[in-house]
Amino acid sequence: MGKHSGWSTLGLLLFLPTTVAMLLAWVWGWAWRWLDQRRGEGQSRRLQQNVNVEFPIPEKAVGFVIGRHGVRVRQVEDQSGARIRVKDKHDSEDKVVVITGKPESVHAAEESIKRTVEERMSEREAGSVTVAVPQHAVGRIIGRQGANIRSLQRQSGARLVVSRGSEESAERTCTVSGSCEEIERAVALLREAIQQSELSRRRHGPRRQWRTETEQALPPCSLPETSDYFKAFVSSVGPSGGVWVQPLEGSDPANLDALVADMTDDYSKLSLQDDRASDVSVGAVLVAPFEHDDSWYRARVMLVDALEGVAELLYVDFGDTGRVELARLKRLRPQYADLPIQAVQCRIAEVKPKGGEWSEDALQELKQLTLCGTWKVVMVKIWDKEGETPAIKIVDTTTDKDVNVAEQLVLLGHATWQRPIPVTFQWAWPAKDVSVAGSFSNWQTVSLEQSGEGVFQCTLEVPEDGCYQYKFLVDGQWMYDSTMPTVEDTFGGLNNVMDTSTQTAA
């Protein structure tokens, strides 16, 4: 019994290592196969996630692929699940579409894009036509820095290319490319622009002969004759708070764009000696470049600095100012002197700058409030046309709540109110006819009415917080009231003087 147990124990001890070794070998083999399978699956998943496909498309097809504001390409990405981008192709005008994603996603996106390109390119290959454009209409069609022709292309969907030519050429050609519908729309727009240019040309009349700069006078621009609000652009705000207004009624923005385009085309080709201004003196009207762009504009000389060799200019159609070298100033050709000045200098009514002068912050705020230079319409009302600079009210109606510019300047602490207050003028001495005039009315006479007691009087609205001189016209003779304060005038005589901060004649 004991001997048998010993052999069993010995057998078990000899068999156990072999069993354990076999078991370990089986486990190791299973683990290795499992790890290899997992690596294969991971590699397969990575391969599926990193598929890239690239293919070329014509440059003019990029717009079809991307769509307006990227709408089309985002739609394809959402539907397919792939990522799409467009890059340049080396040594070619074509572009390259790069699609990244799972194979089925990439395939779906590729098919969608290629189908879109094929369909839209076949439409655009409908053909092209050539339209003859008279020389006088080229500026209107191209517009300021190409703005008009870009607008025509957006409206029609066609591509427009105006041929180059000289001023002596009677006409140029405009090549219109696109689908049949796009070409039809573009040709109609071109014919409308040509017709408008012809009508404008007839209104302006034939070209005049050369005149010197000091003889050259441009037709003035005037504000509409209305007591209501009217639409206008604010083109500039001056350092003294002057506001330059381009009324939509009475100005001609389309012709101005054409004028600037034609002048830029003409004068940018000239050398320094060609058409050089012969008389650069204060008040002269000429043509000059503007430092902030590449265009040429009509300008009036405001100051000549002979030492520096520059002139300070007022660009009359916009109200901007600038300094330009004398050598760069050009004569104003007669064909560019027919269009009236397009801007009127005004001032904001009922307010005055806080501290007596407009600060830089106040001027910046004034530009923002008036939408200056944005070519957005504001509403303008004439408050006072007396004097050289009309007083106006400006209201911005482009937001949900109307914004009164004067009220905002006061609210922001840049200005104080200067509203008119009633002031009574009296003449208590015997007379038959009495009037009063003063600096508050640009010395325009206003009649006084005689009361039952024989006293002549009238009540006028005078801007508050100011000092003004005035005088009475009595039976044809200028006289002052000896009972009121006086001040010596420029001719050695005496005028009455009043301070409206007291709200009474003083």
Side-chain angles (χ1 to χ4, degrees):
M1 182 73 177
K3 184 177 178 181
H4 179 75
S5 298
W7 281 107
S8 298
T9 301
L10 179 62
L12 180 62
L13 291 175
L14 291 174
F15 178 74
L16 185 59
T18 303
T19 303
V20 170
M22 291 177 63
L23 181 62
L24 289 174
W26 180 83
V27 170
W28 178 260
W30 178 85
W32 180 264
R33 287 192 301 273
W34 181 82
L35 289 174
D36 186 60
Q37 182 180 2
R38 296 292 294 177
R39 283 197 300 269
E41 292 176 355
Q43 184 177 10
S44 176
R45 284 196 297 271
R46 287 194 297 274
L47 287 174
Q48 287 186 349
Q49 293 172 352
N50 294 331
V51 169
N52 286 328
V53 170
E54 297 185 6
F55 57 91
I57 61 172
E59 183 181 18
K60 56 186 177 182
V62 173
F64 308 148
V65 174
I66 297 177
R68 187 174 179 83
H69 302 303
V71 172
R72 171 62 182 165
V73 73
R74 286 196 298 270
Q75 183 181 11
V76 175
E77 288 181 331
D78 292 341
Q79 292 175 351
S80 66
R83 182 173 177 269
I84 304 168
R85 62 188 179 93
V86 178
K87 67 178 183 179
D88 293 331
K89 184 178 182 181
H90 298 297
D91 302 326
S92 174
E93 294 184 356
D94 290 345
K95 302 294 183 179
V96 175
V97 176
V98 181
I99 307 177
T100 304
K102 295 181 179 180
E104 60 271 19
S105 299
V106 171
H107 177 72
E110 181 181 7
E111 289 296 316
S112 176
I113 292 174
K114 287 183 176 179
R115 183 170 57 253
T116 299
V117 171
E118 182 179 358
E119 292 174 355
R120 295 304 300 271
M121 290 301 295
S122 62
E123 293 177 0
R124 288 197 65 90
E125 289 173 358
S128 62
V129 299
T130 300
V131 179
V133 178
Q135 184 70 36
H136 62 78
V138 172
R140 179 183 289 270
I141 290 172
I142 296 176
R144 185 179 182 184
Q145 297 181 350
N148 291 359
I149 197 168
R150 287 195 296 271
S151 176
L152 292 174
Q153 291 182 135
R154 285 194 301 270
Q155 293 178 60
S156 65
R159 183 169 183 263
L160 282 70
V161 179
V162 178
S163 65
R164 294 184 176 274
S166 62
E167 186 181 2
E168 290 74 21
S169 302
E171 63 181 27
R172 299 193 204 176
T173 59
C174 180
T175 302
V176 184
S177 306
S179 65
C180 295
E181 294 80 6
E182 292 168 343
I183 292 175
E184 184 178 355
R185 286 194 297 266
V187 171
L189 292 170
L190 283 173
R191 288 174 177 169
E192 181 181 354
I194 293 171
Q195 184 179 16
Q196 290 176 353
S197 178
E198 184 62 38
L199 291 174
S200 175
R201 192 176 183 223
R202 292 175 183 174
R203 288 197 306 268
H204 293 161
R207 293 186 175 184
R208 302 191 302 270
Q209 297 298 314
W210 278 105
R211 292 185 293 180
T212 65
E213 288 78 6
T214 52
E215 293 174 336
Q216 193 76 274
L218 299 177
C221 179
S222 59
L223 297 175
E225 295 292 338
T226 177
S227 58
D228 296 327
Y229 280 93
F230 58 87
K231 297 179 179 181
F233 297 129
V234 174
S235 56
S236 181
V237 171
S240 60
V243 178
W244 291 83
V245 173
Q246 293 182 340
L248 268 62
E249 177 186 343
S251 64
D252 195 344
N255 266 349
L256 179 59
D257 286 341
L259 180 81
V260 172
D262 284 347
M263 289 194 303
T264 301
D265 187 54
D266 285 349
Y267 289 99
S268 60
K269 301 174 183 177
L270 303 179
S271 67
L272 285 177
Q273 299 304 319
D274 292 337
D275 279 0
R276 185 170 179 175
S278 58
D279 178 19
V280 182
S281 57
V282 174
V285 178
L286 35 73
V287 178
F290 188 50
E291 59 184 338
H292 298 300
D293 59 34
D294 298 325
S295 298
W296 289 71
Y297 303 92
R298 303 188 297 184
R300 177 176 288 115
V301 179
M302 306 302 291
L303 180 68
V304 178
D305 188 339
L307 293 177
E308 294 288 337
V310 297
E312 292 188 7
L313 305 176
L314 170 67
Y315 294 89
V316 294
D317 294 308
F318 298 92
D320 296 305
T321 58
R323 289 168 60 88
V324 179
E325 297 176 1
L326 298 177
R328 301 190 66 192
L329 304 179
K330 302 295 185 183
R331 292 194 297 172
L332 178 63
R333 294 180 176 178
Q335 64 266 34
Y336 301 133
D338 293 308
L339 184 69
I341 292 174
Q342 297 294 289
V344 181
Q345 184 180 7
C346 303
R347 55 187 171 88
I348 304 297
E350 297 189 300
V351 294
K352 64 178 182 178
K354 194 171 185 179
E357 293 184 358
W358 294 103
S359 65
E360 287 296 328
D361 291 341
L363 293 174
Q364 289 300 320
E365 194 67 44
L366 181 56
K367 291 178 181 179
Q368 294 181 13
L369 290 171
T370 58
L371 307 181
C372 176
T374 63
W375 310 114
K376 294 181 179 179
V377 172
V378 294
M379 302 305 296
V380 176
K381 184 176 184 179
I382 302 171
W383 185 251
D384 182 9
K385 293 188 69 173
E386 300 295 340
E388 296 182 357
T389 307
I392 59 173
K393 290 185 175 182
I394 300 179
V395 178
D396 173 16
T397 60
T398 61
T399 58
D400 295 336
K401 183 179 179 180
D402 292 350
V403 178
N404 184 295
V405 172
E407 291 178 358
Q408 287 298 309
L409 289 173
V410 174
L411 183 65
L412 295 170
H414 296 307
T416 57
W417 288 114
Q418 194 178 22
R419 285 172 169 164
I421 59 173
V423 176
T424 299
F425 298 88
Q426 292 184 342
W427 183 262
W429 289 270
K432 295 181 179 179
D433 184 66
V434 181
S435 300
V436 66
S439 56
F440 54 84
S441 66
N442 199 30
W443 294 99
Q444 299 295 314
T445 58
V446 179
S447 296
L448 277 63
E449 297 294 333
Q450 188 175 20
S451 66
E453 300 177 353
V455 176
F456 292 85
Q457 68 178 19
C458 73
T459 300
L460 301 177
E461 289 191 338
V462 179
E464 68 176 327
D465 197 16
C467 189
Y468 302 96
Q469 296 182 36
Y470 65 99
K471 210 162 188 173
F472 295 93
L473 181 62
V474 181
D475 296 334
Q477 299 292 323
W478 286 107
M479 303 181 68
Y480 65 91
D481 186 346
S482 59
T483 65
M484 294 294 184
T486 58
V487 64
E488 187 174 333
D489 62 19
T490 55
F491 303 102
L494 293 177
N495 290 336
N496 289 119
V497 62
M498 67 176 177
D499 181 0
T500 54
S501 62
T502 64
Q503 300 192 21
T504 57

